[in-house]
Amino acid sequence: MKRIILASASPRRRELLEQIGIKFEIRVSDREEMFHSTIPEEIVRELALQKAENVAEMLKKEETGGQDCVIIGADTIVVRDGKILGKPGDDEEAFQMLRSLQGRDHQVFTGVALLDFGEDGRGNVTLHAEETKVFVDNMSDDEIRQYVKTGECRDKAGAYGIQGRFAAYISRIEGDYYNVVGLPVSYLYRQLRNILIAFSESLY
């Protein structure tokens, strides 16, 4: 069987892959992330591919190499009015981010890069970007500050986690819920299934 490698340190992405029964390894990209596009879909595809390619380079330097493996790179951004909201640097920045989201909608984009390597070390690249629209209820300043105090917002783009306590303030979404958590798992499962089926058939 092919090795499946997740090029991410995100505990949420790890949990999602485990949830759908995928057996995988984790290798974390250590390269500084950079992007050139200003279009959200292109940005997340760029960043996801960078992570996957960096892990591929790491594997090629090892004895086992990068043969017969699929590397998954992923990156998620939160966008409001065309502005990217990253991870807050402190509680006050988190408060301001959350205040800007209340009573309206914003978009969450996740890019997925799949690098499928054969025995010859050559890889096929599949890139995808998923968009989900998230609608947040009106929140009082006190509700925002109480949420910030939970600490959930500190390592999350947009300063919230939809799967945590912030769920109380999500009125609805349009699109894939798991995309907001960090991975469009239905899309990813279908792609991995097709890759593994094709690999199995090539053995006979």
Side-chain angles (χ1 to χ4, degrees), residues 165-200:
R165 294 190 185 184
F166 201 74
Y169 306 109
I170 303 294
S171 60
R172 63 188 174 95
I173 68 169
E174 294 178 0
D176 185 346
Y177 164 81
Y178 296 104
N179 182 57
V180 185
V181 180
L183 269 181
V185 290
S186 177
Y187 164 82
L188 182 57
Y189 177 78
R190 293 194 307 272
Q191 295 300 314
L192 289 174
R193 180 185 60 192
N194 292 339
I195 288 171
L196 295 178
I197 289 173
F199 175 70
S200 296

Side-chain angles (χ1 to χ4, degrees), residues 3-9 25-31 47-62 64-67 69-74 113 115 117:
R3 298 163 64 196
I4 297 176
I5 300 168
L6 176 63
S8 173
E25 307 167 33
I26 294 176
R27 298 298 300 268
V28 181
S29 169
D30 58 5
R31 179 179 296 171
L47 294 176
L49 182 59
Q50 284 178 29
K51 291 177 180 179
E53 288 180 334
N54 186 34
V55 168
E57 290 175 6
M58 293 164 61
L59 291 174
K60 287 178 181 178
K61 295 176 182 178
E62 299 175 0
T64 55
Q67 294 86 8
C69 71
V70 183
I71 303 173
I72 306 167
L115 299 188
F117 290 94

